Amino acid sequence: MFCKNTDVSSADSASTPDPLRLLLPEWQGSATEPSLSFAARALADRLYPNGFVEVEAPANEALPVEDGVAGLASIVARARHTRDLLQDRQPSRLFVIGGTCGVELAPVSYLNARYHADLAVLWLDAHADLNTPGTSPSGHFHGMVLRTLLGAGPAPLVELLPRPLTRDQVILGGARDLDRDEAAFVSDAPVARLRPADLLVPDRLSGVVRARGFRKIYIHLDLDVLDPAEFPHSLMQTPAGVSMNAVAETVADLANAFDVVGFSVVEFRPRGGDAVGQLVNWLRKLPVFDLRSPAR
């Protein structure tokens, strides 16, 4: 079984809440970190108890390398199921908690098709995730997902895309650790890249979106965009990141200027203390989909 419905009837797409809260606790995109599944579920439960539709991922499984990707068959199966779920329910907005960046394939491509490519994808991430199976140093899919969304990833996953992104739809925010081939791709393509210092100006990112003419946005938040000195609870800790306050101000500016139709939080990897509580308290300050939990 892949799908577990916690607050929505499984048969009636008309009953789907907007935004659809989607829990995708897949760790397989990292190939090595099953703990990401437990962290994603803990975060979802604290934010919205029993409030997510979950596409389940097994806690343990072998991940053979196929066509240069660790666990490709497993990843394809869940991506297909997530795509079918979204096409059945037809939500207009998504709030996603994911294990790895790799879960973004179905949500982003679904919204891109729904809004006929009038969608800027703001990739707040220390990494570009623009490798291919041929350039990836690790073979881990979470480092390939954005390139796949652009139509140049593993063939079985590209085939699932209802509509690939175009390069001008992609804006990297806070990216500071790119592999050589990723840096070459960004330099040769109309993919905007804003470094951590650029995000100290809250409206810098919205200015790029406005200049490119998009009205709707998807905000991908990999927690490694944050400075690990302030928030160490991410999978791929990367020095010299963005402060939590700067990211919050940037998200607030974006939400004020554009129609946010998708928001995700991925790669949460607690490293002691009340990491879940710290993250929940910060997320509840963001003006995205009314993150505040119902009174309990």
Side-chain angles (χ1 to χ4, degrees):
M1 184 177 78
F2 277 115
C3 190
K4 180 166 65 178
N5 296 279
T6 56
D7 72 341
V8 190
S9 69
S10 60
D12 184 4
S13 62
S15 69
T16 298
D18 243 348
L20 175 64
R21 298 178 199 138
L22 198 57
L23 174 58
L24 305 175
E26 180 178 87
W27 61 272
Q28 284 81 355
S30 74
T32 60
E33 290 285 342
S35 63
L36 293 172
S37 284
F38 302 105
R41 291 190 185 98
L43 177 59
D45 184 62
R46 189 81 69 92
L47 274 174
Y48 288 110
N50 300 316
F52 283 81
V53 175
E54 178 180 349
V55 176
E56 297 178 310
N60 295 288
E61 66 174 335
L63 299 175
V65 176
E66 304 171 61
D67 299 327
V69 182
L72 180 60
S74 178
I75 292 166
V76 169
R78 266 179 303 283
R80 181 182 295 112
H81 181 84
T82 307
R83 179 203 63 181
D84 293 347
L85 181 154
L86 292 171
Q87 290 179 347
D88 176 61
R89 296 179 182 239
Q90 291 291 307
S92 64
R93 299 170 187 274
L94 295 173
F95 176 68
V96 178
I97 292 179
T100 76
C101 296
V103 306
E104 297 283 32
L105 191 82
V108 173
S109 60
Y110 163 78
L111 288 173
N112 190 43
R114 181 181 178 92
Y115 293 113
H116 311 287
D118 183 16
L119 181 74
V121 176
L122 312 183
W123 207 256
L124 302 182
D125 198 316
H127 307 91
D129 300 340
L130 286 169
N131 274 304
T132 66
T135 67
S136 171
S138 68
H140 299 168
F141 180 66
H142 69 156
M144 309 179 202
V145 61
L146 188 53
R147 191 68 172 272
T148 304
L149 282 162
L150 286 161
L157 290 168
V158 172
E159 290 169 2
L160 295 180
L161 301 176
R163 184 168 189 159
L165 297 174
T166 59
R167 297 180 183 191
D168 67 319
Q169 290 178 263
V170 176
I171 303 169
L172 305 177
R176 55 195 185 276
D177 185 12
L178 276 64
D179 293 322
R180 182 186 62 185
D181 291 284
E182 292 179 305
F185 178 82
V186 170
S187 67
D188 293 339
V191 172
R193 178 185 177 188
L194 281 72
R195 299 176 189 270
D198 295 318
L199 298 186
L200 295 176
V201 181
D203 64 354
R204 184 68 58 82
L205 197 50
S206 61
V208 176
V209 178
R210 191 173 292 108
R212 294 190 172 203
F214 295 105
R215 295 175 295 176
K216 301 182 183 299
I217 60 174
Y218 186 97
I219 301 175
H220 158 90
L221 176 61
D222 182 334
L223 293 168
D224 69 16
V225 76
L226 299 170
D227 194 325
E230 181 182 13
F231 188 85
H233 311 294
S234 65
L235 175 62
M236 305 288 289
Q237 291 181 327
T238 308
V242 187
S243 72
M244 298 177 82
N245 185 61
V247 171
E249 290 183 351
T250 293
V251 170
D253 181 73
L254 290 165
N256 185 59
F258 303 99
D259 185 10
V260 181
V261 296
F263 182 83
S264 68
V265 184
V266 300
E267 308 225 348
F268 177 42
R269 206 289 199 174
R271 297 175 187 273
D274 185 13
V276 176
Q278 181 185 3
L279 181 54
V280 166
N281 290 337
W282 180 65
L283 288 172
R284 286 178 178 168
K285 298 175 183 177
L286 304 184
V288 182
F289 300 151
D290 188 20
L291 287 167
R292 298 184 185 280
S293 299
R296 287 189 284 170

